[in-house]
């Protein structure tokens, strides 16, 4: 009988400690993205929404700096993806990253948090192409290309 009470007390103590630990973890990540969540390979776990937006914006600076080259015969034109009309919806990606494990459904949230922590979850951001900007860029290149061929 004493052994049964000891086992029961140990079980209750263990469950109590695990519950307190889980509660502390949940409170700690109430306004932060859970560990293991990334967007386009950029780890955002532990960040608030504002921190995640800033971090992702810095990592995706290539949209404004790297160039894309268009070629027609011997001519080449360079433009940044931003100049061609490409943009990334950073805030939407951050919102999706934050929503993982924050639905308010305890069992589903715990499963998502576990999966993110152990397997990782990489969210692909939405990339938008402004067709008007892209069309204007192509028209400009086409106009220069036509003028160039008439000169030669």
């Amino acid at each position: 009988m004493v052994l049964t009470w000891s086992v029961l007390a140990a079980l209750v103590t263990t469950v109590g400690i695990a519950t307190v630990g889980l509660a502390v973890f949940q409170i700690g990540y109430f306004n932060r993205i859970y560990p293991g969540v990334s967007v386009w390979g950029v780890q955002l776990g532990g960040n608030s929404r504002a921190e995640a937006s800033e971090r992702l914006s810095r990592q995706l600076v290539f949209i404004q700096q790297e160039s894309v080259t268009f070629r027609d015969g011997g001519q080449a034109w360079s433009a940044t993806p931003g100049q061609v009309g490409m943009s990334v919806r950073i805030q939407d990606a951050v919102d999706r990253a934050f929503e993982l494990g924050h639905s308010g459904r305890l069992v589903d949230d715990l499963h998502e948090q576990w999966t993110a922590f152990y397997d990782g979850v990489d969210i692909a951001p939405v990339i938008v192409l402004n067709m008007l900007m892209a069309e204007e860029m192509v028209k400009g290149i086409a106009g220069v290309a036509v003028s160039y061929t008439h000169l030669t």
Side-chain angles (χ1 to χ4, degrees):
M1 187 70 157
V2 171
L3 183 62
T4 305
W5 284 109
S6 297
V7 170
L8 184 60
L11 182 62
V12 167
T13 302
T14 302
V15 169
I17 291 170
T19 302
V20 168
L22 182 61
V24 167
F25 179 77
Q26 295 299 319
I27 291 167
Y29 282 91
F30 181 73
N31 285 319
R32 296 189 299 157
I33 297 171
Y34 284 101
V37 179
S38 61
V39 173
W40 241 354
V42 178
Q43 291 294 327
L44 299 179
N47 290 292
S48 67
R49 287 179 195 235
E51 293 166 339
S53 293
E54 180 183 330
R55 183 161 189 215
L56 200 53
S57 293
R58 281 185 310 210
Q59 294 295 320
L60 298 178
V61 74
F62 74 90
I63 290 180
Q64 299 303 325
Q65 293 179 346
E66 298 295 323
S67 65
V68 177
T69 303
F70 299 92
R71 297 186 189 282
D72 178 32
Q75 287 194 291
W77 297 267
S78 293
T80 66
Q83 290 171 322
V84 177
M86 184 179 138
S87 63
V88 177
R89 291 195 175 163
I90 291 173
Q91 197 55 51
D92 289 352
V94 168
D95 289 345
R96 287 182 40 219
F98 181 81
E99 288 166 3
L100 196 127
H102 286 99
S103 72
R105 297 181 308 275
L106 181 62
V107 174
D108 293 339
D109 286 346
L110 291 174
H111 180 262
E112 287 179 349
Q113 293 164 20
W114 178 270
T115 301
F117 184 77
Y118 283 101
D119 297 330
V121 174
D122 193 36
I123 294 170
V126 174
I127 299 172
V128 178
L129 180 62
N130 180 325
M131 292 303 292
L132 293 175
M133 284 180 72
E135 186 177 335
E136 289 301 315
M137 178 75 172
V138 171
K139 282 180 183 177
I141 290 172
V144 171
V146 169
S147 297
Y148 177 76
T149 56
H150 288 298
L151 293 174
T152 57

